[in-house]
Amino acid sequence: MRQTIDFLLNDWLNAAALTGRPRFSDHSAETFGQVLDTCERIARDKFAPFNRLVDTEEPRFDGERVILPAATQAAWDAYAESGMLSAAQDYEIGGMQLPYTLEAAANAFFAKASVSISSGLLTVGNANLLMAHGTATQKQVFALNEFSGRWSGTMCLSEPQAGSSLSDVATRATPDGQGSEADPLGPRFRLRGNKMWISSGEHELTQNIIHLVLAKIPGADGKAVPGTKGISLFIVPKHCVDAQGELTGERNDVALAGLNHKCGWRGTTNTLLNFGEGRYKPQGQGGAIGYLVGRPGEGLRCMFHMMNEARIGVGMAATMLGMAGYEASLAYARQRPQGRPLGPSGKDPAQAQVPIIEHADVKRMLLAQKAYAEGALALELYSARLVDEQHTGAAGAASEAALLLEVLTPIAKSWPSEWCLEANSLAIQVHGGYGYTRDFPVEQYWRDNRLNMIHEGTHGIQGMDLLGRKVVMDGGAGLKLLATKVSDTIQRAGQVAGLAEHGHALAGALQRLGAATKSAWSTGVPEDALANATPYLQAFGHVVLAWVWLDVALVSQQRLAADVNFHQGKLQACRYFFDYELPKAEAWLGVVASRNPTCRDMQDAWF
């Protein structure tokens, strides 16, 4: 995997060029390599050896605290000490001013080693949100303590009765008495309600846990504003703190109601939390103390700052689980003897058995995994590169990167979540019966990966976001920009023997995608278009990945002589994707273009 990461960063994305920008001028290709080396080593030593342990020894509650394996604490400490929690931050607050492209690549090692041990993803996203929307004191007290690893963070959106439908959240926030609006940590409220599916919601890994909580502030009539416009965002620490960032010794009124026992990701606590039930009484009364972030009613806008980062992170996690399964099944296929080659007169039982990698169908399953996992890795790093362009590029390039990122984020989250899960299924299949046992790691990779189509926006929601908003906003500007980028790759591929036919196929798929988009919305009725949003998401994703693979293949073709086997592998994976995967898009686009009503017309009673 490291060779592929180095190739994508150095040869394809030219990440070293970022060092020419003022923010990254202290870095070089050497420092980038050192960061990758350090993270690869920590992941290998502190995370990978304990991936099975945290799967079998689930978090448990002893009535007072959540118990985790000691290895989890050691892994968190090593990660925090590496500085990766604040890698992208300014030097002045202890950061490295590392490009997000490198941060994403470095974190990939941890996701592959043990995706469920660390809660770093949410902590960084939580702190980044506060750096964007918090007050100076909120940044100093909460964000900086998270970046240091002293405290950790969560994201509290869903409730038992409100999963994706955030307009229905029932958690309420009321002003905490006289003078509460002047609290140095922000306008102070008391929160009461329940939050469900909160990852890393309770543990002893850090001194404090900083919850970012969505809640509604009732009006003078005691009623909350209906819909998402009434949602506000609050900082709710597990332990109360003062304006200097020190623990006051009081426990906030946030209590663990229960641990969820999951199919995978068992190394991370997943919790139901009760806010303000009165178990604890900070400052002598029940109700969880929370501090308003931003203005009332703008909670969801602020939270999306964290959610978009989280979605790219989920895509990378799914990618790395697919990569882990691919590497495990490749190693198994190379050493597992089974069967004999088929000659003109059939099989000769007197011959020795051959490794199963010699069989065409096993090669098919391995090629599929390679195409899914390595293609997804390229997509995630490209998306991360767009983040850097958005933040540090010239005005025009930054605006263009932001627009392209809007369109690609649903794909960066959803495509690896679906197809690297399929890669994990194929990894089990390559192992045969052994893959279905816990003696081999591939079944755990599948279980861990199954979450990624669900959290941070389900698959269906990503499809509706893409077709219902992203490709039609600003008159379809994002889709047009993407088409321009794809067309540029097609044009360059047209001059290269062996890749020109792929370019022709991609041009046809791009044209059909545009036509299906227009047809889906031709009636102007959202129900007509969005009934087939998921097939649209699948087709769109496959077109994007075909483009990514063709662009990568152009570079591998140029570098072929430098490492024939490595680059020939990339070219063959590209060929596989165009021969076996891209054709699937036509069927998906067919139901989109025709506004097929089969699913929408189905009635409850007919099931």
Side-chain angles (χ1 to χ4, degrees), residues 523-545:
T523 65
V525 179
E527 290 84 354
D528 287 349
L530 298 180
N532 294 295
T534 295
Y536 182 82
L537 178 77
Q538 291 171 309
F540 199 107
H542 263 51
V543 171
V544 167
L545 265 292

Side-chain angles (χ1 to χ4, degrees), residues 217-228:
I217 304 172
D221 60 358
K223 297 180 180 179
V225 176
T228 58

Side-chain angles (χ1 to χ4, degrees), residues 170 316 343 469 523 596:
M316 183 62 88
R469 191 167 73 90
T523 65
N596 190 297

Side-chain angles (χ1 to χ4, degrees), residues 152-430:
S152 58
T154 74
M155 178 166 64
C156 300
L157 289 78
S158 298
E159 299 179 1
Q161 84 294 338
S164 300
S165 182
L166 294 176
S167 61
D168 296 312
V169 297
T171 300
R172 296 292 182 260
T174 55
D176 188 28
Q178 187 174 6
S180 59
E181 70 282 354
D183 194 296
L185 292 175
R188 191 177 70 251
F189 288 74
R190 293 277 178 164
L191 277 70
R192 292 173 174 85
N194 316 99
K195 292 294 179 178
M196 185 63 160
W197 313 119
I198 309 307
S199 294
S200 301
E202 180 59 41
H203 55 74
E204 304 294 326
L205 297 174
T206 55
Q207 294 179 16
N208 207 354
I209 303 174
I210 308 305
H211 304 290
L212 287 179
V213 184
L214 292 182
K216 293 187 175 182
I217 304 172
D221 60 358
K223 297 180 180 179
V225 176
T228 58
K229 292 183 179 179
I231 297 176
S232 300
L233 179 64
F234 300 88
I235 300 167
V236 183
K238 173 182 172 180
H239 297 286
C240 295
V241 304
D242 61 25
Q244 287 70 48
E246 297 300 325
L247 302 182
T248 66
E250 276 195 302
R251 174 73 183 260
N252 203 358
D253 195 8
V254 183
L256 176 68
L259 293 172
N260 296 310
H261 300 283
K262 301 166 294 178
C263 171
W265 280 66
R266 293 175 177 171
T268 299
T269 56
N270 190 271
T271 62
L272 169 61
L273 297 178
N274 291 344
F275 291 83
E277 69 175 0
R279 180 175 178 183
Y280 303 99
K281 300 191 182 315
Q283 299 179 11
Q285 58 179 303
I289 293 175
Y291 306 97
L292 182 68
V293 179
R295 293 196 291 265
E298 294 191 354
L300 211 54
R301 182 183 69 84
C302 294
M303 187 64 86
F304 269 110
H305 185 281
M306 183 178 181
M307 289 170 69
N308 285 334
E309 288 180 27
R311 284 172 176 169
I312 294 174
V314 167
M316 183 62 88
T319 297
M320 287 300 101
L321 286 164
M323 188 74 76
Y326 164 58
E327 291 184 359
S329 61
L330 176 60
Y332 181 84
R334 282 172 167 162
Q335 60 83 31
R336 169 67 170 168
Q338 194 84 183
R340 293 166 179 82
L342 185 64
S345 352
K347 295 182 180 180
D348 181 0
Q351 283 189 328
Q353 294 192 94
V354 297
I356 61 173
I357 199 170
E358 297 298 323
H359 302 307
D361 195 56
V362 174
K363 292 178 183 179
R364 174 189 64 82
M365 292 187 283
L366 292 170
L367 257 178
Q369 292 179 69
K370 183 179 178 69
Y372 297 152
E374 293 186 4
L377 177 58
L379 170 65
E380 298 307 317
L381 293 178
Y382 180 79
S383 299
R385 181 65 180 79
L386 289 176
V387 172
D388 285 324
E389 197 64 33
Q390 179 184 3
H391 292 159
T392 64
S399 176
E400 184 178 275
L403 181 59
L404 195 55
L405 197 57
E406 282 288 309
V407 175
L408 288 180
T409 295
I411 305 303
K413 190 274 177 185
S414 66
W415 197 91
S417 298
E418 179 172 6
W419 296 100
C420 288
L421 179 69
E422 174 61 18
N424 290 142
S425 181
L426 291 171
I428 294 172
Q429 191 71 23
V430 169

